[in-house]
Every structure is written in structure tokens, then in C-alpha cells.
Amino acid sequence: MTGPARLVLATHNAHKVGELRAILVPALPDLDPDSVVGARDVGAPEPVEDGVTFAENALIKARALARHTGLPAVADDSGLSVDVLGGAPGIFSARWSGRHGDDRANLDLLLAQLSDISPEHRAARFTCAAALVTPDGVEHVELGHLPGTLATAPRGSHGFGYDPVLVPEGDTRTCAELEPAEKNRISHRGQAFRALVPAIVAALGGPRDG
């Protein structure tokens, strides 16, 4: 880093840190990208995510990181909800296969569970809850959604998680086939974090001159 951290992102996932920086920094031009760091950069432990909604889990992570660092903390909890699975994997998306963060195993299990489901019944959506928590107790949550349908096999080399199987409404490509900037414009995470920007600006003391 070229300067002290001003905003901490509650994720140990390097892909997600990069994606969140790409979403937040253009919306916060006064913010030095190097002052936006991930939980691993500050040695923060991962809290137990025992909430029952995306918003609850996002707040759990942001609260823990704000306590650990004394800085404004931003967290998200996101996942894939499939209509024919009653909204699952939902908050269990990252550990659907039983191994947390094993993207390939999660994808393989999901596609196996949907192997006999016809295209018209493969509706699904990404949901993201983005939370800001400040050391003085301010809390704010925003939601974003990206509806689409599920492909029958992974496609594309961009993104992570379930990106290779969700085809956004109005497109024929999976999220993993979109260029990162294109995905960020429409993604559930992009929507939620852009909506959170005014609260982040306020937490950082508002816009600065120069």
C-alpha cells in the first residue's frame, strides 16, 4: 500500500477484492485504490456466518472487521438462488458441495441436481447484500439482484463462483463470458455496492477537495 487503509473489505477472496475495488473506486474518485484493502491484508479472522439471510451474514462480517480494525468496513454476502430448488443454494452457495469455496465442486453438484430440468424451468438469480459498518456503530445495507437462467455446462473464463453457469436475462453469454467491466455494470454485486456508495462517502467524511 502507498498509504494507510481507509476502507476494509470483509473478504479473504483476492478475486472479490479486485472486483469490489473495480466497482467502488470509479464511484469514489477521491479514494486511493491502495487504501482499499481486504481482510487478509489486515490479518482479520473470518467470523462464523450464522445468519439466515444474505443481509444478516453481510452485517456479521462487516461488524467483526470494523471491531478488528477500527476502520469503516464493507462486506457482502451473495449467492445463487434457483427457483426449482426452492431458492437454494442461497446462503449456502459457497459451501453447497460441503467444501467451502470449492467452486468446481459446487458447480458440478448443482448441475447434477438440475440435469433433468428443462431450459424453461432453469430460472435463477444472483443476490448480493452489501453492508457498511463503521466503528461508531453506523450500519447500512443495500441489495442487488441479477436474474437469469442456468446453462447446462460451465462456460467462460472470467469471474468466479457460479459465474460460468448463470446467463443474465437478455443475453446468451454466461457471466463468466462477459468482460469484467461489462459484468460489473449489470451484476448483483455492482448494483448493491453502487447503491452503498453514498453511505461510504458519508462514513469517510464526505468528498474532499483536491
Side-chain angles (χ1 to χ4, degrees), residues 112-132:
Q113 291 170 323
L114 300 175
S115 60
D116 295 329
I117 303 300
S118 57
E120 63 270 25
H121 297 301
R122 298 175 74 91
R125 73 199 52 79
F126 281 137
T127 296
C128 174
L132 168 74

Side-chain angles (χ1 to χ4, degrees), residues 45-202:
E46 295 190 65
V48 175
E49 299 173 36
D50 54 3
V52 298
T53 66
F54 293 118
E56 287 178 10
N57 282 331
L59 283 167
I60 286 169
K61 290 184 277 190
R63 287 168 183 154
L65 193 56
R67 284 195 302 268
H68 180 82
T69 63
L71 294 168
V74 169
D76 82 294
D77 197 55
S78 55
L80 180 72
S81 298
V82 182
D83 286 2
V84 297
L85 296 180
I91 61 171
F92 304 109
S93 292
R95 53 188 183 274
W96 191 234
S97 65
R99 296 189 297 276
H100 193 283
D102 189 334
D103 288 353
R104 187 68 211 201
N106 290 334
L107 280 175
D108 288 346
L109 176 58
L110 181 72
L111 291 175
Q113 291 170 323
L114 300 175
S115 60
D116 295 329
I117 303 300
S118 57
E120 63 270 25
H121 297 301
R122 298 175 74 91
R125 73 199 52 79
F126 281 137
T127 296
C128 174
L132 168 74
V133 174
T134 69
D136 57 357
V138 172
E139 296 187 350
H140 191 93
V141 179
E142 294 285 351
L143 296 176
H145 304 278
L146 180 62
T149 58
L150 293 174
T152 56
R155 304 199 311 262
S157 57
H158 299 299
F160 56 94
Y162 295 92
D163 285 347
V165 294
L166 187 81
V167 178
E169 279 185 358
D171 211 316
T172 59
R173 299 166 296 170
T174 69
C175 289
E177 292 177 300
L178 303 177
E179 291 298 320
E182 189 177 12
K183 176 195 167 189
N184 289 343
R185 283 195 297 272
I186 66 169
S187 77
H188 54 306
R189 197 170 285 112
Q191 294 172 40
F193 276 89
R194 283 190 292 271
L196 195 63
V197 163
I200 295 173
V201 170

